Amino acid sequence: MGREQLRAAVVAERGEQADLLAALRADQWDAPTLCDGWRVREVVAHTTMPFRTSLGRTVRELVQARGDVNRMADRTARRDAAELSTGQLLAALRDNVTHPWTPPGGGVHGALSHDVIHGLDITVGLGLERRVPLDRIVLVLSGMRERNIRFFGADLDGVRLQATDLDWAHGTGVPLHGLAQDLLLVLCGRRLPPGHLAGPAAERFSR
């Protein structure tokens, strides 16, 4: 897929997420997600940080976190979630659906992956029925490399992931069945609510 098609997928994903977030109740913004310790508002603060923060400030934040990207992300998400209202967080997403931000070294594909994965952190965490269009899931899965899986800390030894809605599999061992978007979350080290996965290894990757 070309760059323009990837960019269109990013714009569509952000727009759909903005619509979904606009329909949430106030209490849902404070509900937990699949990102440990983050509510919906922290996740949205994190995904919109690149739109709201200059490169210089980001570098300063990283220095303060002693170069630890995860520490910086957690600190800034918690701070911004506390300082910004849900309306401000939603506007930061809605007003930036076409923003050209891409993660360092990740390109437009990385931006799409970032948005899709964190969107799933919210919807699966809240028990919402949203299905990310399969063409976007295919794009994200196609870019997952062993280094990405290591970064997320996913332990997939002895497990074969097998999608039920897509001709896609990963690994060898006992089968783990689920929707492609749920298996993407497994690759990203998330533990899913019961009922999303099936097979002998399901409990290992469920909450």
Side-chain angles (χ1 to χ4, degrees):
M1 180 177 284
R3 179 182 176 86
E4 290 307 313
Q5 290 172 298
L6 275 170
R7 177 56 63 189
V10 170
V11 171
E13 179 64 21
R14 290 178 185 165
E16 290 169 24
Q17 287 189 24
D19 290 341
L20 181 146
L21 291 168
L24 293 184
R25 303 185 308 270
D27 63 295
Q28 288 177 304
W29 279 85
D30 290 317
T33 68
L34 298 188
C35 290
D36 288 339
W38 283 6
R39 300 164 296 172
V40 171
R41 64 177 64 249
E42 276 84 20
V43 175
V44 180
H46 173 67
T47 59
T48 60
M49 179 192 169
F51 314 147
R52 298 180 285 100
T53 308
S54 68
L55 178 59
R57 181 180 174 187
T58 300
V59 171
R60 289 194 297 274
E61 296 280 5
L62 188 57
V63 170
Q64 290 173 6
R66 300 178 183 176
D68 189 319
V69 174
N70 289 327
R71 182 184 295 124
M72 180 195 74
D74 185 63
R75 176 185 296 169
T76 56
R78 292 177 187 276
R79 180 198 63 211
D80 293 352
E83 293 178 353
L84 300 173
S85 68
T86 56
Q88 289 172 312
L89 290 169
L90 178 59
L93 177 59
R94 177 88 69 191
D95 295 345
N96 289 284
V97 293
T98 61
H99 196 284
W101 174 82
T102 59
V108 183
H109 186 280
L112 178 64
S113 299
H114 189 257
D115 291 336
V116 166
I117 292 164
H118 284 305
L120 288 170
D121 285 329
I122 292 173
T123 56
V124 176
L126 291 180
L128 304 180
E129 294 297 324
R130 182 184 184 233
R131 294 276 190 96
V132 178
L134 274 177
D135 59 334
R136 291 179 212 160
I137 296 294
V138 169
L139 285 170
V140 177
L141 287 172
S142 69
M144 292 294 289
R145 302 290 184 264
E146 288 303 319
R147 61 182 175 83
N148 303 118
I149 298 171
R150 288 195 300 272
F151 173 81
F152 287 118
D155 178 10
L156 303 177
D157 286 350
V159 176
R160 176 176 173 80
L161 310 185
Q162 179 66 62
T164 56
D165 57 343
L166 192 66
D167 183 17
W168 179 87
H170 175 87
T172 58
V174 297
L176 181 69
H177 300 285
L179 296 175
Q181 66 181 37
D182 290 334
L183 297 182
L184 170 61
L185 290 170
V186 171
L187 286 176
C188 295
R190 273 52 165 185
R191 293 174 67 85
L192 277 66
H196 281 256
L197 304 170
E203 186 175 351
R204 173 176 161 187
F205 298 97
S206 299
R207 294 193 167 193

